[in-house]
Amino acid sequence: MMRAGLLLLCLWAGGALAQTVDVRPQGRPVVDSVAPLRPVSRPVIEQVSVTIARPQVRPTGLVPPPPPQPTLDNRPSVRPYTRPDLARGAATQPQRRAEAGLFAFSPTAVRLSLRPTERPAKITQRAVEQRIARQRGALCGDPAIQGEPIGRINGRGRCGVDNAVRVRSVAGVTLRPSPTIDCRTAGALKAWVAQTAKPAVGSSGGGIASLRIVSHYACRNRNSARSGRLSEHAFGRAVDIAGIGLKSGQEITVLTDWNRGAAGEALRKMWRGACGPFGTVLGPNSNAAHRDHFHFDTARYRSGSYCR
């Protein structure tokens, strides 16, 4: 009986506790009106006036007067110039000039402007005459090629030269004797002398003065053979050079200097540098016929220059 009462009491207490405790989330309360937003106050920016400070004109009374220019009356005193290597009391030439009043500031100052003196009229006239002579003797439209025009040369069979010229010098280097060639060969020879021969020799012996020519226009076959193809000499397109004369009077020869020291190195540079301006370049290593000279011609090949 007591157990039944306790059971009823527990059931009643659990029901009461279940009715009083609610673990469900509560709803958000309903707000009837929303409070107005408070306006944001912005800082007030004050306008500041900026005044640019410009330099003021200096009053006339505050401008310092210009320094007086030295004249013969108000020039500063000059300390006499003395040389310690002279005996005491001996007046030097600058000292005497200073005492005589010929120096304004210092006895070592330059009184006159260091301007170059005018060129004498004789030198100017000589330069004009040389320029006129160069223009008068210019060949192939190039003042660096000097000589005289010849014109058409008619040779035996197919030999001959169109617009032949007799060249006296190229790039300031004399040709001895003057070869008879065409303008294309003359232009190639000038380019070789200026770009290769002169730099190869440099200042040795004073530089190049002349070239010794051993063959130019000649109606003959290659290597002077009795038969075969005509040489480029037969058309004025070749020149043979055996020696390079120096301003000192010495001569570099292909025959004796090809394998000798600095002269031989210069000759090899000349041989290599000719391969380009000329179409055919032959030297001592090509064959026995060219052991004593260079053969240069302006023949053109599809494969390029032939150099041997």
Side-chain angles (χ1 to χ4, degrees):
M1 189 68 179
M2 184 178 295
R3 290 181 180 179
L6 289 174
L7 181 60
L8 292 175
L9 180 62
C10 291
L11 293 175
W12 175 83
L17 182 62
Q19 292 177 1
T20 58
V21 179
D22 190 2
V23 296
R24 291 179 298 178
Q26 302 296 324
R28 182 176 296 176
V30 180
V31 180
D32 297 337
S33 61
V34 179
L37 296 176
R38 189 176 181 180
V40 180
S41 59
R42 297 181 179 179
V44 179
I45 300 176
E46 298 181 357
Q47 296 183 355
V48 181
S49 59
V50 179
T51 303
I52 300 176
R54 296 182 178 179
Q56 302 295 327
V57 180
R58 182 178 296 180
T60 307
L62 299 179
V63 178
Q69 298 296 328
T71 61
L72 294 177
D73 297 330
N74 63 357
R75 63 189 174 191
S77 60
V78 179
R79 185 177 181 181
Y81 173 77
T82 58
R83 290 179 55 182
D85 57 337
L86 297 178
R88 181 176 299 178
T92 61
Q93 179 67 18
Q95 180 180 351
R96 289 193 295 269
R97 295 183 65 186
E99 294 174 354
L102 298 180
F103 291 117
F105 296 98
S106 170
T108 58
V110 180
R111 287 183 54 83
L112 300 178
S113 175
L114 296 177
R115 295 181 179 178
T117 58
E118 294 184 359
R119 182 174 297 176
K122 291 183 179 180
I123 296 179
T124 304
Q125 182 65 24
R126 189 182 309 157
V128 173
E129 292 176 356
Q130 291 178 355
R131 183 169 65 252
I132 294 175
R134 284 175 56 84
Q135 294 176 353
R136 186 185 301 117
L139 293 176
C140 308
D142 191 344
I145 304 175
Q146 294 287 305
E148 57 182 353
I150 297 177
R152 170 66 187 176
I153 295 179
N154 294 317
R156 302 189 311 270
R158 295 176 50 237
C159 296
V161 184
D162 293 330
N163 298 323
V165 292
R166 184 175 290 110
V167 183
R168 183 173 58 254
S169 66
V170 292
V173 174
T174 304
L175 306 181
R176 297 175 179 171
S178 300
T180 298
I181 49 181
D182 62 2
C183 280
R184 186 171 69 179
T185 306
L189 186 61
K190 183 215 65 173
W192 174 76
V193 169
Q195 301 172 10
T196 301
K198 283 185 174 181
V201 174
S203 59
S204 300
I208 297 180
S210 62
L211 298 178
R212 180 160 57 92
I213 308 298
V214 293
S215 182
H216 45 101
Y217 169 70
C219 185
R220 61 178 177 84
N221 295 327
R222 292 183 176 180
N223 298 327
S224 298
R226 293 184 178 181
S227 61
R229 299 182 58 180
L230 287 173
S231 170
E232 294 298 321
H233 288 281
F235 308 109
R237 296 195 291 257
V239 61
D240 292 349
I241 302 173
I244 292 87
L246 306 180
K247 294 180 181 179
S248 62
Q250 299 175 342
E251 185 184 45
I252 301 174
T253 65
V254 178
L255 179 62
T256 60
D257 296 320
W258 177 251
N259 293 315
R260 188 171 63 88
E265 181 62 27
L267 289 173
R268 293 178 184 276
K269 289 181 180 179
M270 297 181 199
W271 175 81
R272 286 192 297 266
C275 193
F278 294 98
T280 305
V281 178
L282 301 177
N285 290 344
S286 60
N287 51 44
H290 297 89
R291 68 184 183 279
D292 60 350
H293 69 274
F294 290 143
H295 170 87
F296 299 154
D297 68 51
T298 53
R300 292 293 180 261
Y301 306 99
R302 292 182 180 179
S303 58
S305 299
Y306 176 81
C307 304
R308 184 176 178 183

